[in-house]
């Protein structure tokens, strides 16, 4: 899937990831349409550093792509003895209970 996206030029192979401090304990990460796992790893690193200095660290990501398994980023935080919540949005994949049309994403939450 990742090679296909690179060949189709849907993903930026060399993103210039930008991090903007939005509060003492939060950052906004612009992934420059880079590979999701590269951007999410950076965002998690940023959140960990904020948590070390502020007690809590939040990172919001935009302009990123599929980031793989959410548990990877939880493990990244656990390696630093920290608690982590990781979640994302996704395209409609499932109908709500009793519904017939896909409306909810299969959004991972770890």
């Amino acid at each position: 899937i990742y090679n296909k996206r690179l060949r189709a030029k849907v993903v930026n192979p060399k993103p210039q990831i930008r991090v903007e401090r939005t509060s003492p304990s939060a950052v906004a990460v612009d992934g420059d349409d880079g590979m999701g796992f590269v951007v999410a790893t950076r965002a998690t690193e940023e959140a960990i550093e904020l948590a070390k200095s502020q007690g809590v660290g939040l990172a919001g990501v935009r302009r990123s792509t599929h980031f793989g398994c959410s548990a990877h980023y939880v493990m990244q935080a656990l390696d630093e003895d920290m608690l982590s919540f990781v979640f994302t949005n996704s395209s409609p994949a499932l109908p709500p209970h009793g519904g017939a049309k896909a409306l909810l994403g299969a959004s991972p939450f770890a």
Side-chain angles (χ1 to χ4, degrees), residues 17-107:
I17 299 170
R18 290 180 294 284
V19 178
E20 175 189 355
R21 189 83 168 255
T22 57
S23 80
S25 59
V27 294
V29 180
D30 182 330
D32 193 25
D33 297 319
M35 292 293 229
F37 52 85
V38 173
V39 179
T41 298
R42 171 70 183 277
T44 304
E45 290 169 354
E46 295 288 337
I48 288 168
E49 289 308 309
L50 287 172
K52 286 179 180 178
S53 65
Q54 302 297 318
V56 67
L58 305 169
V61 176
R62 66 180 175 270
R63 296 194 332 129
S64 182
T65 61
H66 182 270
F67 78 163
C69 179
S70 302
H72 170 76
Y73 313 105
V74 171
M75 296 301 295
Q76 192 178 344
L78 286 174
D79 287 344
E80 297 290 332
D81 294 323
M82 295 192 179
L83 174 71
S84 175
F85 293 102
V86 177
F87 44 94
T88 187
N89 67 335
S90 67
S91 302
L94 308 164
H97 179 71
K101 183 178 177 185
L103 177 68
L104 307 173
S107 305

